[in-house]
Amino acid sequence: MSVDVSVCHRYGDFTLDVAFKIEQPGVTALFGPSGAGKTSIINAIAGVLRPQHGRIVARDRVLYDTAANICISPRQRRVGYVFQDARLFPHMSVERNLRFGWRRARERAPEPEVRHVIELLELRFLLARRTQGLSGGEKARVALGRALLASPDILLLDEPLAALDTARKNEIFPYLERLRDEARIPILLVSHSLDEVSRLAGHIVILRAGNVVTSGSVFDVLSDLNLPDYTGASPYGAVIGATVAENDTDTGLSTLAFPGGRLVVPLLERAIGEQLRVHVRAEDVMLSLEEPHGISANNILPAIVSGLRATTALHADIRLACGPTAILSRITRASCERLSLKAGMAVFAIVKSVTIATANDGPRHD
């Protein structure tokens, strides 16, 4: 299932020089600012760009190798590519657009698989329609279906949500999550939104000025104290994989269990045992040396300080271990000094707000 990419290409004053490996199915995000080289990488994988030096291997097939003089044509690479603007054929129905990818596949998917993709993306009632009248979210779903029915070895998504407004993004997110969870192939997602990455990706490759600056699990990288150095932004906070443990209609609260603790959030329309991701912003975590009582916060987590960093002239970022789960807290440097925080200390994390991405109504907060 692995994809191995190592390419070097120079455009004028810009040099793309990257190497990374995708080891498993699911979503790997290429994240970075405009001009970092994200689209150039997936164009090289698709065969649209021929790097001056490099080697690209997808699922044990060498697609490109300058040393061995190998360059498989784009059509023979078995790559599914979904562009930012969908690029559907306006003169064709939705079904003919879908079948275009299917007819061009080296090995056509059997009809049960075609029907599965149509049901996965909820396209059955759109099949007879022309694409001109579709919403942005519907067009994105058709583009995904067309790419999947080409039976690719790898799926490339070039900022598929960038052209959509918030409502349409919330419409398409559940389909991308379903695709991520059911896919048997690697998916490479280009994005400049950490919110998209945190919701969809399992792994992340962060790019800057044509180079890989860090990579790894989304849960580890997004809670890295050095992340602001890579992104130029404030710390993102913790992304936590959790399971719905309890829904209490009397109190209007749900309890989410995660390795290392539990979080209480407003009642969710989610089944017991369902898995989801939550985002805890660093700015929404206060610290106490003693367990607080008589406060309104629902979530107070015992933790151990695992790292500290004076990030700005005013702020310090604290990395906390709640069992195996990392959480970040951004406090003032004055507070850090007053508490005499240091690695290994036991503290209590007071979580003021938790964001849950839901399929029905977008992000929710406690």
Side-chain angles (χ1 to χ4, degrees):
M1 287 293 182
S2 66
V3 177
D4 201 344
V5 177
S6 176
V7 297
C8 183
H9 190 78
R10 185 176 179 84
Y11 315 75
D13 295 332
F14 178 81
T15 299
L16 177 69
D17 190 355
V18 299
F20 62 90
K21 191 170 185 177
I22 303 171
E23 300 282 2
Q24 57 194 12
V27 177
T28 296
L30 292 179
F31 174 83
S34 297
K38 305 184 296 296
T39 298
S40 295
I41 291 171
I42 63 172
N43 282 342
I45 296 171
V48 179
L49 169 71
R50 295 183 62 172
Q52 291 153 350
H53 305 281
R55 190 171 191 267
I56 301 170
V57 181
R59 301 182 76 174
D60 299 324
R61 292 180 66 232
V62 178
L63 306 181
Y64 191 75
D65 190 332
T66 50
N69 197 28
I70 296 172
C71 182
I72 303 299
S73 71
R75 184 169 179 175
Q76 295 178 321
R77 291 198 179 195
R78 303 179 204 166
V79 170
Y81 201 142
V82 177
F83 298 91
Q84 190 178 125
D85 55 358
R87 301 192 187 182
L88 302 177
F89 300 113
H91 62 290
M92 293 183 183
S93 67
V94 167
E95 182 168 15
R96 289 185 64 199
N97 269 276
L98 294 172
R99 295 282 182 177
F100 180 86
W102 177 78
R103 281 191 293 269
R104 291 169 63 91
R106 183 174 178 270
E107 297 179 6
R108 292 182 180 179
E111 282 300 318
E113 179 65 21
V114 174
R115 290 195 297 272
H116 175 71
V117 170
I118 290 171
E119 293 300 324
L120 174 73
L121 298 170
E122 295 185 11
L123 298 172
R124 183 158 51 97
F125 297 106
L126 300 177
L127 293 178
R129 291 179 56 182
R130 293 288 184 93
T131 59
Q132 298 102 314
L134 300 181
S135 70
E138 289 169 339
K139 289 179 179 178
R141 283 153 51 197
V142 176
L144 281 170
R146 184 176 64 182
L148 286 172
L149 289 177
S151 300
D153 285 342
I154 180 173
L155 183 61
L156 309 176
L157 307 180
D158 188 8
E159 301 204 55
L161 304 177
L164 304 180
D165 59 25
T166 300
R168 300 289 80 76
K169 286 182 181 181
N170 287 333
E171 173 190 323
I172 196 68
F173 261 126
Y175 300 100
L176 291 172
E177 289 172 324
R178 201 178 303 166
L179 176 63
R180 173 200 65 201
D181 296 339
E182 294 192 16
R184 298 184 294 272
I185 60 173
I187 301 170
L188 200 55
L189 169 71
V190 168
S191 179
H192 62 267
S193 166
L194 281 179
D195 286 335
E196 292 176 9
V197 170
S198 69
R199 181 164 176 177
L200 295 172
H203 285 74
I204 182 172
V205 178
I206 296 184
L207 299 160
R208 185 173 60 191
N211 301 117
V212 175
V213 292
T214 191
S215 64
S217 163
V218 162
F219 304 104
D220 294 333
V221 172
L222 296 189
S223 62
D224 188 339
L225 289 176
N226 295 316
L227 185 67
D229 292 345
Y230 310 141
T231 64
S234 298
Y236 186 72
V239 179
I240 302 171
T243 303
V244 179
E246 182 181 356
N247 290 320
D248 190 333
T249 55
D250 292 334
T251 62
L253 297 173
S254 292
T255 301
L256 308 179
F258 67 93
R262 291 190 164 214
L263 292 168
V264 177
V265 301
L267 188 65
L268 299 173
E269 295 180 3
R270 297 291 187 99
I272 302 299
E274 188 170 348
Q275 296 182 336
L276 44 73
R277 292 185 183 187
V278 300
H279 175 207
V280 179
R281 298 171 66 246
E283 293 86 350
D284 289 333
V285 179
M286 298 174 60
L287 299 181
S288 173
L289 298 182
E290 299 178 354
E291 184 173 8
H293 300 280
I295 63 173
S296 61
N298 287 321
N299 295 302
I300 301 171
L301 303 171
I304 301 295
V305 176
S306 59
L308 306 89
R309 185 180 182 194
T311 312
T312 73
L314 298 176
H315 297 100
D317 294 332
I318 317 298
R319 197 170 195 263
L320 308 166
C322 295
T325 300
I327 292 179
L328 288 187
S329 173
R330 168 163 277 200
I331 60 176
T332 64
R333 293 179 67 170
S335 295
C336 185
E337 292 171 4
R338 185 173 65 253
L339 296 175
S340 300
L341 295 178
K342 59 186 67 176
M345 283 184 62
V347 297
F348 290 89
I350 304 165
V351 181
K352 298 184 291 181
S353 180
V354 180
T355 302
I356 305 105
T358 69
N360 297 324
D361 54 5
R364 296 184 62 181
H365 307 270
D366 77 339

